[in-house]
Amino acid sequence: MNGKILLVDDEQEIADLIEVFLQNEQFQCFKYYTFQDAFSVIDSECFDLAIIDIMLPDGNGFTLCREIRKKYTYPIILLTSKTEGTDKVTGLSLGADDYVTKPFLPIELVARVKAHLRRVHDYDGKKIGSNEMVTIAGLLLNKASHECRLNGEQIKLTPTEFSILWLLCKNRGKVYSADELFQTIWGEKYFKNSRNTVMVQIRHIREKLNDIGEKPKFIKTIWGVGYTVE
């Protein structure tokens, strides 16, 4: 098996179809149609990724996302029937890594699942040297162990957040536009609303580093250009 996937969607036909495509790629799928059933297993099973529909009959995907993020950093992909940017930004603000708007092609969703899991597996020590680290003003990043520490205190970052911070720190002084960050981290073509995705992830990182003042110590915004770590 390639990994354990938590799948939550009250539209049974859609959930069943996604399950088939995931199983065809050798993923082990834990499928649930309600918030409560999914909530009851998030602490009893060790998942590698979650796919969660925002609209559920007995709750919503936002709450489930928030509960997962209290303890776990594995990637979360939200499914939404809405096209409004606020819905997507809300999900990203709560810790989701990605979102897919219905209707969608199951093969597209599976491709995103694979992309996120590849990012996670890049930190398992098999593809990179265990001594590959960056230290900047009390901030330490260890790419092999996916470890982030600030003044000795461990900071829990999602794989997406770590990827962004690592890219900026490893290339200290280089300014990355939102376009460049999105295409490098997500590996997809940049669209206008992708800017919100990048902005929310940057804000998340700053909040976790307690670096949200007018003059941030680490990630700096170069207005009209992009982001950099000086």
Side-chain angles (χ1 to χ4, degrees):
M1 290 290 179
N2 285 332
K4 291 183 177 181
I5 309 296
L6 172 65
L7 172 60
V8 192
D9 196 321
D10 66 317
E11 296 184 69
Q12 296 190 19
E13 290 185 1
I14 293 178
D16 293 347
L17 183 61
I18 295 172
E19 180 184 36
V20 169
F21 273 79
L22 289 172
Q23 290 177 339
N24 285 343
E25 296 294 331
Q26 302 303 307
F27 289 108
Q28 187 177 2
C29 187
F30 291 72
K31 179 180 61 179
Y32 302 95
Y33 303 123
T34 67
F35 171 92
Q36 194 56 49
D37 286 346
F39 181 75
S40 67
V41 300
I42 58 176
D43 286 330
S44 59
E45 290 290 343
C46 217
F47 295 110
D48 296 291
L49 181 143
I51 301 170
I52 304 172
D53 188 19
I54 290 177
M55 302 299 292
L56 297 170
D58 57 339
N60 64 69
F62 292 145
T63 304
L64 195 55
C65 179
R66 185 187 298 113
E67 291 299 318
I68 290 173
R69 279 291 173 258
K70 288 180 179 179
K71 296 182 180 180
Y72 308 105
T73 60
Y74 54 76
I76 298 174
I77 300 175
L78 292 180
L79 305 180
T80 174
S81 300
K82 300 180 180 180
T83 57
E84 291 85 354
T86 53
D87 215 32
K88 298 169 182 176
V89 171
T90 299
L92 292 167
S93 298
L94 293 172
D97 296 271
D98 203 354
Y99 53 81
V100 176
T101 304
K102 296 179 179 180
F104 57 83
L105 295 174
I107 193 170
E108 175 195 351
L109 177 60
V110 172
R112 294 198 182 201
V113 167
K114 288 181 176 180
H116 282 289
L117 290 179
R118 276 197 301 271
R119 190 174 303 129
V120 174
H121 294 157
D122 279 347
Y123 307 125
D124 63 7
K126 296 177 182 177
K127 296 184 179 180
I128 52 183
S130 60
N131 63 344
E132 192 165 358
M133 294 188 294
V134 172
T135 57
I136 298 175
L139 178 68
L140 181 147
L141 296 176
N142 185 327
K143 193 175 182 184
S145 62
H146 188 214
E147 181 182 16
C148 174
R149 289 185 177 274
L150 179 59
N151 298 322
E153 181 181 351
Q154 186 169 1
I155 308 296
K156 293 179 67 174
L157 300 177
T158 68
T160 301
E161 292 163 356
F162 188 93
S163 294
I164 293 172
L165 187 57
W166 173 265
L167 181 67
L168 293 174
C169 289
K170 187 68 174 177
N171 298 281
R172 188 176 181 180
K174 176 178 171 58
V175 180
Y176 284 86
S177 67
D179 184 335
E180 290 176 307
L181 280 175
F182 189 84
Q183 293 195 53
T184 301
I185 302 301
W186 280 265
E188 298 178 10
K189 184 178 179 181
Y190 181 84
F191 296 100
K192 186 176 181 180
N193 63 356
S194 300
R195 180 177 176 81
N196 284 336
T197 302
V198 174
M199 289 175 62
V200 171
Q201 297 292 349
I202 292 289
R203 190 179 77 228
H204 261 184
I205 298 170
R206 285 172 169 164
E207 289 172 349
K208 290 184 177 182
L209 296 179
N210 193 26
D211 196 30
I212 53 178
E214 292 184 3
K215 296 182 178 180
K217 183 178 180 181
F218 297 108
I219 302 178
K220 301 184 185 300
T221 300
I222 308 300
W223 296 109
V225 183
Y227 303 96
T228 187
V229 170
E230 296 178 344

